[in-house]
Amino acid sequence: MNRITTLDEFIIRRQKDFPYASGELTGLLRDIGVAAKIVNREVNKAGLVSIIGVADSQNVSGDEVQKLDLYANEKLIECLQNSGECCGIASEENEDFTPIPPVSGKASKYVVVFDPLDGSSNIDVNVSVGTIFGIYRRKSPEDGTCNLEDFLQKGTELVAAGYVLYGTSTILVYTTGRGVNGFTLDPSIGEFCLSHRDIRIPARGSQYAVNQGYYLKFDVEMRRYIDHCSEMNFSLRYIGSMVSDIHRILLKGGIFLYPQTRKFPQGKLRLVYECNPLSFVVEQAGGKALSGNLQRVLDMQPEQLHQRVTISVGSPEMVDEMKEFVERYSVVSSD
Ligand code: AHG
Ligand code: MN
Ligand code: MN
């Protein structure tokens, strides 16, 4: 029998790769792993208890909030707050960031950003949802409170990022900038076990993910690229939770598109909570991620915590091809 490697073992082993590491990052990743197990338990019983359903509120981006979003948000904050391994958090569900006071007088040098439950409109129909997270080193002095600048860092500054997908099985995928690894939760022992070592995204795939229902609202150049995908007989696969679509694309290859529409002229997805962490993971696996103006997503300077961005992300050759289409047809349409 192959010896299993648990998430905890793996991150402790990896800590040795960073000679000056203080163990804080290791602690943070462990906290996220613990929160993921708690959220997983609730997501799994969502069909059984009355926790599912729409709570009587909207999140700061104006979307409908479901109860499990709030639950996941609370649990993540609790786990991160109690250990004091980070000095602040910013969540898609909260309007502002939350500073975390030092625990036992120990100041932390990291901040964490997250989307506690991505794809939450899928919960009550048993479709996969996930948690997305990113970790930055703070810019503010360690002896004070964190500030907005700590959270508005470019994706290139990410120290670690990843996601937990509550799907047919629960998997935690993360990177610290040295490749991407995936850990599947074995519910019988309650441990995340290394199941996907050094994930590499295929250079091309034969699937594309886009909300085709908005086709007529997209710019002509994006429509031409989508037509091309269809002419190539690519399969359209769109779950409606970005994290699930990205996970599939990471393993099978393909491209995920969320272009601008009239309703969302800047795109719908959030740069800080969704696009940057997932773009970092995809790039680390050998993929690419570009914004609507064909800029690398990770190079964008966030101006606001809840800023939205258009995105095309996935297999490198497919993202390059999308770029060629957009360049070619935007010239034609502006003539
Ligand atoms: P969230 O549940 O965190 O608000 O995110 C939902 C997002 C994303 O996961 C998904 O890809 C996208 O919304 C789907 O949007 P459309 O329904 O407009 O396609
Ligand atoms: Mn989301
Ligand atoms: Mn969410």
Side-chain angles (χ1 to χ4, degrees), residues 71-175:
Y71 181 85
N73 196 33
E74 254 173 45
K75 291 299 151 199
L76 268 155
I77 296 174
E78 266 172 37
C79 288
L80 294 167
Q81 226 160 19
N82 294 343
S83 70
E85 303 283 11
C86 67
C87 65
I89 59 100
S91 161
E92 187 205 73
E93 295 300 339
N94 299 347
E95 182 146 12
D96 215 343
F97 65 90
T98 309
I100 295 181
V103 171
S104 320
K106 193 177 105 212
S108 165
K109 53 180 181 293
Y110 295 107
V111 296
V112 183
V113 297
F114 53 85
D115 176 355
L117 217 53
D118 178 61
S120 44
S121 63
N122 283 323
I123 295 165
D124 50 359
V125 289
N126 261 357
V127 173
S128 306
V129 290
T131 298
I132 306 170
F133 64 90
I135 302 175
Y136 291 95
R137 194 164 284 122
R138 70 189 295 182
K139 295 264 179 211
S140 53
E142 273 184 40
D143 54 359
T145 313
C146 63
N147 61 34
L148 186 59
E149 204 202 342
D150 294 327
F151 297 93
L152 297 183
Q153 298 192 52
K154 291 182 184 177
T156 47
E157 302 296 313
L158 278 161
V159 173
Y163 58 84
V164 186
L165 180 61
Y166 312 100
T168 42
S169 54
T170 295
I171 184 167
L172 186 152
V173 174
Y174 85 97
T175 177

Side-chain angles (χ1 to χ4, degrees), residues 216-250:
L216 295 175
K217 317 246 166 33
F218 297 148
D219 290 343
V220 64
E221 49 269 29
M222 192 49 79
R223 295 210 300 263
R224 291 296 80 87
Y225 176 66
I226 293 171
D227 294 344
H228 165 75
C229 291
S230 165
E231 281 154 17
M232 295 290 289
N233 282 328
F234 292 165
S235 298
L236 171 63
R237 294 280 181 274
Y238 189 69
I239 297 174
S241 350
M242 185 189 191
V243 66
S244 315
D245 282 310
I246 293 293
H247 182 66
R248 185 191 62 249
I249 286 169
L250 204 58

